[in-house]
Amino acid sequence: MVLSGQHRHHNYTLLDGELNAEGQSPPAQHPSRRTPLARFVMLVTLAAATASLAIVSLANPLSTGQGKESQSCDSVFNGYQCRPEISHFWGQYSPYFSVPSEISTATPSFCKVTFAQILSRHGERDPTASKTKAYNATIQKLHSKVKTFSGPYAFLADYEYTLGADQLTLFGEKSMIHSGIQFYSRYENLAKTTTPFVRSSGEDRVIESAQNWTMGFHEAKVADRSTSHGDAGYPYSIVVIPETDGSNNTLNHGTCTNFENGPDTSGSAQSTWAALFIPPIQARLNAGMPGANLSVTDTIYMMDLCPFNTVANENGTISPFCDLFSKNEWHQYAYYETLGKYYGYSYGNPMGPTQGVGFVNELIARLTDTPVKDETSTNHTLDGNRGTFPLGRKLYADFSHDNTMTAIFAAMGLYNNSKPLSNTTLTEASRADGYSAGWTVPFAARAYVEKLQCLGQREELVRVIVNDRVVPLPQCECDGRGLCRLSKFISSMGFAKANGKWDQCFS
Ligand SMILES: *[C@@H]1O[C@H](CO)[C@@H](O)[C@H](O)[C@H]1NC(C)=O
Ligand SMILES: *[C@@H]1O[C@H](CO)[C@@H](O)[C@H](O)[C@H]1NC(C)=O
Ligand SMILES: *[C@@H]1O[C@H](CO)[C@@H](O)[C@H](O)[C@H]1NC(C)=O
Ligand SMILES: *[C@@H]1O[C@H](CO)[C@@H](O)[C@H](O)[C@H]1NC(C)=O
Ligand SMILES: *[C@@H]1O[C@H](CO)[C@@H](O)[C@H](O)[C@H]1NC(C)=O
Ligand SMILES: *[C@@H]1O[C@H](CO)[C@@H](O)[C@H](O)[C@H]1NC(C)=O
Ligand SMILES: *[C@@H]1O[C@H](CO)[C@@H](O)[C@H](O)[C@H]1NC(C)=O
Ligand SMILES: *[C@@H]1O[C@H](CO)[C@@H](O)[C@H](O)[C@H]1NC(C)=O
């Protein structure tokens, strides 16, 4: 189905009883609107009317690495670098930042990229609906119980809770535009002459992220003086896969019963860690705001309010909430978020990696130009159709959520060379095979899977780059640049090829 311009304010609201990607039930006060359209895959065409790009500082995006953009501490090519010693330690609530890489991310001079797949998280957003209610309640409680706010807490006297729910913030929209520009720039040789094939999971903020990304890609293409090809394919079609109950959607988990209803140890892992690091923070806040009586949960919410208020500002200006906590406390908080993802969706959950298998089997199909073989979460109708799952393309872009991306990385066997994460000892990403929520699934996270043709190599090579960090792939005997032979990479995907543990989903 192709939707034209006037439909662009679509609302594919979550259906009854469904969990959204952050695992929250939809709020009771926002009754679901069950649109018949949401039952189908939609080819959404971005209206030409939306193409009036208001990206002021990006007039010449391909040379802005050090240009005007550097006046701000957020930039197209390096992401969010404002107070990195704290802002890179907000777990999945960190604004996108370029993660340090031990291996150069530059394409080796003797290689050329022949294929690139981006798997992206949506951009910065407001808190989920249930969280926004809970944060507001914490603020109301403070206002009703604390007589005077002084010292570092003085700003709270006038602080009003105004955050929305679930949708991208303006900062988040811009960061997706930046991502599209960065992708164009990195893969310029392919992007000049090709249009990416785009799919998105069906929640509003994800679709909008996909649209903003295509805007950035398009803008960069039009601005590229080395090409006179224009961009006739724009606005690009987007295949939207619904998040409705029972939908086979490789970009959003939801159909493996024993995973969805199964034991989730992430909450218990997180509370074990919270019991260790929160009490001193809680005591300090309660002493500084007599009468507040914040609980452990309230204290975590006070920390959450730092990233959420920061990304609610169009320029990403650091919120005063951030200064209530020390650098060390932000590392502890980041680890709290890491434990949630690891025990919820990665190797810490016996059924976690299986939720990413469908996407990995689609990736194998694209890398090898052969039909999808999968008996997990793929939709055979979609994947068997050249319109909705074309093979042989050079650029693919998929838009998803942090939780499903975490499962996909695990299904690929990334970050699999470390012991189960401790619930009592902080383990930094650099000591956990590169794994943390902040390094893998910050807002606007972007993983690239590249194929390269290199001099002296008959076979194509594969490289994986997550948020600008080249991920070493020992499972396929990668070389010092992180490059594996395609055949070895594919054989290392045995877990996905065997459908993970999908056979345990319903028993
Ligand atoms: C926060 O809660 C107060 C009191 O219940 C309510 O009046 C206000 O509208 C809420 N604000 C937001 C942004 O939800
Ligand atoms: C992002 O995309 C949405 C949906 O297409 C559009 O309404 C919005 O204006 C875009 N944001 C920016 C900053 O252009
Ligand atoms: C698979 O995709 C088809 C085509 O969009 C759709 O009609 C069908 O409902 C989907 N089935 C599942 C189980 O997701
Ligand atoms: C962390 O806690 C979870 C939930 O209680 C538990 O399953 C897991 O084994 C713990 N991890 C370690 C390394 O002890
Ligand atoms: C503080 O809150 C706890 C619940 O979190 C409650 O049991 C206790 O009575 C409260 N103390 C005061 C002094 O309000
Ligand atoms: C963001 O920065 C621009 C340019 O410096 C400024 O005009 C605008 O007022 C700022 N917005 C906010 C909300 O601070
Ligand atoms: C959806 O997934 C289930 C479980 O793998 C499978 O049995 C079913 O055939 C799939 N439906 C479609 C339309 O592909
Ligand atoms: C991760 O490593 C374990 C232990 O070596 C192995 O059994 C498992 O199959 C690996 N997972 C994936 C998805 O490759």
Side-chain angles (χ1 to χ4, degrees):
M1 180 179 306
V2 179
L3 295 186
S4 62
Q6 67 270 29
H7 293 291
R8 70 182 184 84
H9 296 291
H10 41 248
N11 266 308
Y12 311 120
T13 315
L14 293 173
L15 298 189
D16 307 322
E18 191 187 24
L19 291 182
N20 73 13
E22 271 76 13
Q24 315 293 343
S25 295
Q29 75 272 28
H30 292 298
S32 302
R33 279 161 293 173
R34 189 186 290 263
T35 84
L37 292 183
R39 295 212 157 274
F40 298 90
V41 165
M42 279 163 261
L43 294 174
V44 174
T45 301
L46 184 55
T50 63
S52 54
L53 306 182
I55 317 154
V56 182
S57 56
L58 297 177
N60 186 0
L62 300 181
S63 63
T64 43
Q66 315 299 325
K68 281 187 190 171
E69 281 286 292
S70 62
Q71 288 167 12
S72 150
C73 46
D74 185 32
S75 76
V76 172
F77 295 103
N78 296 319
Y80 193 77
Q81 298 295 339
C82 312
R83 310 253 313 261
E85 69 286 1
I86 67 167
S87 69
H88 295 182
F89 296 89
W90 297 341
Q92 68 278 15
Y93 304 139
S94 284
Y96 168 73
F97 63 95
S98 179
V99 172
S101 184
E102 281 169 27
I103 301 172
S104 166
T105 49
T107 299
S109 57
F110 54 91
C111 300
K112 68 173 204 273
V113 176
T114 55
F115 166 104
Q117 157 87 58
I118 179 177
L119 173 64
S120 171
R121 187 184 179 200
H122 57 75
E124 290 76 359
R125 58 157 168 80
D126 280 318
T128 53
S130 60
K131 284 284 183 65
T132 214
K133 235 175 120 179
Y135 297 155
N136 190 8
T138 295
I139 296 300
Q140 305 303 321
K141 172 171 153 183
L142 276 181
H143 282 163
S144 67
K145 292 194 172 178
V146 179
K147 287 201 190 70
T148 52
F149 292 93
S150 58
Y153 309 100
F155 77 94
L156 283 163
D158 302 319
Y159 174 74
E160 252 183 80
Y161 190 84
T162 56
L163 302 179
D166 290 321
Q167 303 301 328
L168 293 184
T169 63
L170 181 54
F171 182 91
E173 294 174 14
K174 288 183 189 167
S175 98
M176 294 312 298
I177 293 172
H178 288 178
S179 176
I181 294 169
Q182 184 189 36
F183 187 84
Y184 181 89
S185 168
R186 178 170 180 86
Y187 301 111
E188 185 185 359
N189 287 337
L190 298 176
K192 256 182 217 194
T193 50
T194 15
T195 298
F197 181 76
V198 187
R199 298 187 306 173
S200 169
S201 193
E203 196 170 359
D204 281 359
R205 65 171 176 271
V206 186
I207 300 170
E208 222 165 275
S209 292
Q211 291 175 327
N212 292 145
W213 184 90
T214 66
M215 289 166 77
F217 182 96
H218 167 73
E219 198 209 354
K221 189 167 187 164
V222 167
D224 185 351
R225 294 202 193 87
S226 75
T227 177
S228 55
H229 296 283
D231 194 13
Y234 187 82
Y236 318 138
S237 290
I238 299 175
V239 173
V240 176
I241 308 177
E243 294 189 3
T244 49
D245 269 347
S247 171
N248 289 14
N249 182 344
T250 54
L251 301 173
N252 188 52
H253 70 88
T255 53
C256 170
T257 313
N258 290 345
F259 173 78
E260 301 301 329
N261 303 336
D264 181 356
T265 58
S266 64
S268 137
Q270 284 186 300
S271 48
T272 303
W273 176 239
L276 290 174
F277 87 97
I278 289 290
I281 305 175
Q282 181 187 7
R284 182 177 72 240
L285 263 55
N286 283 331
M289 294 181 283
N293 194 24
L294 295 171
S295 65
V296 168
T297 303
D298 288 326
T299 307
I300 291 168
Y301 289 169
M302 292 294 281
M303 296 188 87
D304 292 346
L305 283 168
C306 152
F308 281 113
N309 279 291
T310 298
V311 302
N313 179 283
E314 64 170 307
N315 300 325
T317 302
I318 298 265
S319 152
F321 278 95
C322 306
D323 287 319
L324 299 180
F325 311 97
S326 70
K327 183 181 147 206
N328 183 49
E329 288 164 354
W330 286 119
H331 283 245
Q332 295 172 323
Y333 172 84
Y335 194 59
Y336 172 84
E337 302 300 359
T338 293
L339 288 174
K341 296 302 166 194
Y342 182 82
Y343 285 102
Y345 298 90
S346 184
Y347 304 111
N349 183 322
M351 291 303 283
T354 294
Q355 310 315 309
V357 162
F359 180 84
V360 177
N361 284 328
E362 291 177 332
L363 174 66
I364 292 171
R366 288 170 171 178
L367 287 167
T368 58
D369 212 352
T370 53
V372 177
K373 275 178 70 181
D374 176 77
E375 297 302 329
T376 70
S377 60
T378 48
N379 181 324
H380 300 282
T381 310
L382 291 177
D383 286 7
N385 181 318
R386 295 215 324 250
T388 47
F389 199 87
L391 292 170
R393 299 283 289 254
K394 295 193 171 88
L395 297 177
Y396 292 96
D398 286 303
F399 296 84
S400 176
H401 296 277
D402 53 352
N403 293 342
T404 297
M405 285 173 66
T406 298
I408 290 169
F409 295 155
M412 288 173 74
L414 307 184
Y415 316 113
N416 197 10
N417 289 294
S418 83
K419 288 183 303 196
L421 292 181
S422 167
N423 300 318
T424 50
T425 306
L426 195 163
T427 315
E428 298 285 358
S430 55
R431 307 292 299 275
D433 199 22
Y435 184 77
S436 72
W439 277 22
T440 57
V441 292
F443 286 128
R446 58 210 67 166
Y448 305 147
V449 179
E450 303 174 340
K451 275 202 294 183
L452 305 92
Q453 190 70 66
C454 300
L455 274 179
Q457 285 278 350
R458 262 188 305 144
E459 196 177 350
E460 283 179 301
L461 304 179
V462 175
R463 206 150 79 137
V464 176
I465 299 174
V466 177
N467 300 318
D468 275 352
R469 175 178 178 271
V470 177
V471 181
L473 303 169
Q475 59 271 47
C476 52
E477 297 159 36
C478 70
D479 67 12
R481 299 171 200 262
L483 294 161
C484 279
R485 283 163 51 192
L486 175 60
S487 56
K488 290 239 156 116
F489 179 81
I490 301 297
S491 30
S492 75
M493 297 291 121
F495 179 78
K497 285 195 282 187
N499 296 309
K501 299 184 187 170
W502 196 262
D503 59 341
Q504 294 173 34
C505 282
F506 310 101
S507 53

